[in-house]
Each structure stands twice: as structure tokens, then as C-alpha cells.
Amino acid sequence: MSPVGRPRAFDLEAVLEAAMLLFWEQGYEATSLAQLREATGLSSASLYGAFGSKDGLFERAVQHYISGPGSITDVAADEALSPREAIARLLHGSIDMQTDPSHPRGCLIALSGTLGAPDSGEAARKVVAARRAVDRARIRECVVRGIASGDLAEDTDVDGTTSMIHGFLLGISTQVCDGVPAHDLHTAADTLLATWGEGAAHAG
């Protein structure tokens, strides 16, 4: 029997999955504690006991996303791949993930915590901004490696090229939510990748 005052045991993975899907579908601001309680099956006491706050649950749900569907962007850090191949897998893999009908469309990192009232949601915005910063740094390293390997011209603007690729990555979510077909997005990614010279187009 659990000690007095300790929240009832629950399936943490199932709770995080339910919270992740809700935040992914609706965003941080639009998701209420009542909805989170209903989706996770937790009482207010259990929710606060386990996560401290809505912000705490959001942070754990984002970590769950990053280790699951969002892990597709980790490929940009794979130095066993050529920098061009790493970027290609990053973009095409992200398109495939974001258009997968088995879960909400778009990217939780790009959509869920970007906007909000100044007096609320600041912690959530910092959580997703931190992940975007990681993705941007990895993309930048690919650009640097691309220049070093000769795939990109020596006078390539590193930060400008990084912003172009990262901006495309973040923009996938908006276009997916607007109904742009995956095929068109893959074609757009191949057009961007032409910057890196000739390469095989997406096979999908």
C-alpha cells in the first residue's frame, strides 16, 4: 500500500503519451488542466504531485516527443553521414513524420509553445525554443562540414544557409496544417538540397 500522501501509481509512459498528443493537437495555451486530467486519467493531486504544474507536465511531454516522433531531427547530428545526406534525411524524414496520419499533423516543437500571453506560457516557450536551438546548431554544424568537405562553396554564408534550412524545417508544420501535400514538400526539400550539388532525389 502506498504511503499516506503519495499519489497513486500510474503508467508514466501512457500519461506522457496522452499529454504529448493533446499538447501537439492543441498547443500549450489552448490545453486546459481539465483536458489534461481527462486525457491522462490523473486527478489534480496526482498531476501536481508527479509534475508540479502544467508547465512541468508540458516539459516532460516535450521530452517524450523528442525521444519519440521528434527524434527524427537527431539525424542532423550523425557525423557518419555526409553533411548533405544528414540534411536530406532531416528534411525528408521530418516531412514524413509530420504528415503521418497516426498522430497530430505538424511538429510539436514548432507549433505547441511558440505563442502565448506574456504573463503565461513563458516556461513552455523556453522549452521548445531550447530544442529549436539544438536543431539549429546541428544544422549549422552540417553547413560547416559541407564547406570543409567541398560540398558547399568556401564563401557560403554559414549563418544565412543555416537559417534557410532551419526556416524550411520549421515552415513544414504550417504548410502541413494548411493541407500542402507531402509530395510537394518533398519536391521543395529537393529544390533546397540542390544548393549542395547533385544528389539523389527523395525515393518516396
Side-chain angles (χ1 to χ4, degrees):
M1 184 173 180
S2 297
V4 175
R6 177 175 294 179
R8 189 188 318 178
F10 56 84
D11 185 334
L12 179 60
E13 287 297 305
V15 165
L16 293 177
E17 180 75 9
M20 176 193 75
L21 292 173
L22 193 58
F23 284 127
W24 194 352
E25 181 73 34
Q26 300 186 163
Y28 173 86
E29 286 284 343
T31 300
S32 68
L33 285 169
Q35 290 172 323
L36 288 167
R37 289 195 301 269
E38 181 178 359
T40 62
L42 295 182
S43 65
S44 293
S46 292
L47 192 153
Y48 280 104
F51 304 104
S53 64
K54 177 183 172 182
D55 286 341
L57 177 54
F58 179 77
E59 182 172 0
R60 292 293 300 278
V62 168
Q63 292 170 356
H64 183 73
Y65 173 85
I66 290 171
S67 66
S71 65
I72 187 63
T73 62
D74 289 343
V75 71
D78 187 351
E79 294 189 5
L81 299 172
S82 71
R84 185 190 186 282
E85 181 62 19
I87 294 297
R89 293 192 187 187
L90 167 71
L91 298 181
H92 288 303
S94 293
I95 293 166
D96 287 338
M97 186 279 287
Q98 294 189 48
T99 56
D100 185 340
S102 69
H103 53 60
R105 295 171 72 81
C107 168
L108 184 150
I109 300 300
L111 298 172
S112 65
T114 304
L115 299 175
D119 58 347
S120 67
E122 182 179 357
R125 289 192 291 276
K126 287 181 178 178
V127 167
V128 291
R131 177 60 181 189
R132 289 195 294 268
V134 168
D135 289 339
R136 181 182 176 87
R138 288 171 171 175
I139 291 169
R140 190 181 193 281
E141 181 56 30
C142 284
V143 175
V144 170
R145 290 202 297 125
I147 294 171
S149 67
D151 287 348
L152 293 171
E154 288 184 10
D155 62 351
T156 296
D157 185 315
V158 173
D159 291 326
T161 303
T162 298
S163 291
M164 176 180 67
I165 298 168
H166 194 216
F168 182 95
L169 178 67
L170 293 174
I172 292 170
S173 288
T174 303
Q175 296 196 64
V176 166
C177 291
D178 284 346
V180 175
H183 175 270
D184 292 351
L185 294 171
H186 284 303
T187 300
D190 283 331
T191 301
L192 184 154
L193 288 163
T195 304
W196 295 68
E198 300 240 347
H202 180 65

